[in-house]
């Protein structure tokens, strides 16, 4: 399955809104993101978990991983989200990723960091 980076961003933005100590049930996440298929959301949650950007409760049965709830966003998840929160940064990140054909989580992270660094340099006149 193809990784949907827009879905990943939407998930992180949604998880960030959950109160401290509370979990976000998977079905609530699906309801909150009607623009994405359940498959896209499931796959994106699993990849965000593998990247250690979120903590999620899962259940493995019959060679299938079912997502129960998203429990938390990690420090690295917050860092990543902060680098892609701004819509202009996100658009530039996606454009660069598309141009070079790199849409892995680690590539998006590096591209977003570089875009932010470039904006900082131009703002400071460095």
């Amino acid at each position: 399955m193809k990784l949907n980076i827009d879905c990943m961003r939407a998930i992180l933005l949604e998880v960030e809104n959950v109160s401290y100590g509370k979990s976000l049930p998977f079905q609530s996440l699906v309801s909150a993101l009607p623009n994405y298929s359940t498959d896209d959301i499931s796959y994106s949650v699993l990849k965000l978990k593998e990247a250690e950007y979120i903590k999620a409760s899962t259940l493995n049965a019959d060679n299938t991983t079912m997502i129960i709830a998203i429990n938390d966003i990690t420090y690295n998840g917050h860092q990543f989200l902060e680098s892609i929160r701004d819509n202009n940064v996100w658009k530039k990140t996606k454009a660069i990723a598309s141009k070079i054909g790199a849409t892995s989580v680690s590539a998006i992270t590096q591209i977003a960091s570089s875009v932010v660094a470039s904006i900082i340099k131009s703002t400071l006149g460095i």
Side-chain angles (χ1 to χ4, degrees):
M1 181 163 191
K2 186 176 178 182
L3 189 61
N4 185 329
I5 59 173
D6 287 308
C7 184
M8 289 174 52
R9 179 176 182 255
I11 290 167
L12 288 172
L13 288 167
E14 195 64 35
V15 171
E16 183 183 48
N17 291 326
V18 177
S19 298
Y20 177 73
K22 303 286 184 185
S23 292
L24 177 61
F26 181 72
Q27 288 306 317
S28 297
L29 179 63
V30 170
S31 296
L33 301 175
N35 295 334
Y36 302 101
S37 72
T38 301
D39 283 348
D40 271 341
I41 295 169
S42 296
Y43 192 72
S44 295
V45 165
L46 292 174
K47 296 306 154 193
L48 287 166
K49 182 181 177 187
E50 287 175 15
E52 299 182 353
Y53 287 167
I54 61 170
K55 293 180 182 178
S57 300
T58 58
L59 177 65
N60 295 316
D62 299 326
N63 294 326
T64 302
T65 303
M66 296 182 349
I67 302 158
I68 308 301
I70 293 81
N71 304 319
D72 199 5
I73 184 169
T74 66
Y75 178 78
N76 287 335
H78 278 293
Q79 294 297 103
F80 176 62
L81 181 56
E82 286 306 316
S83 70
I84 62 171
R85 178 184 306 281
D86 180 81
N87 286 329
N88 290 327
V89 171
W90 183 236
K91 288 177 188 175
K92 288 177 184 179
T93 299
K94 288 190 334 179
I96 293 167
S98 176
K99 184 175 181 178
I100 63 174
T103 57
S104 69
V105 175
S106 61
I108 295 297
T109 301
Q110 290 178 349
I111 293 166
S113 294
S114 295
V115 169
V116 170
S118 176
I119 292 169
I120 291 169
K121 285 180 182 178
S122 83
T123 301
L124 296 176
I126 301 173

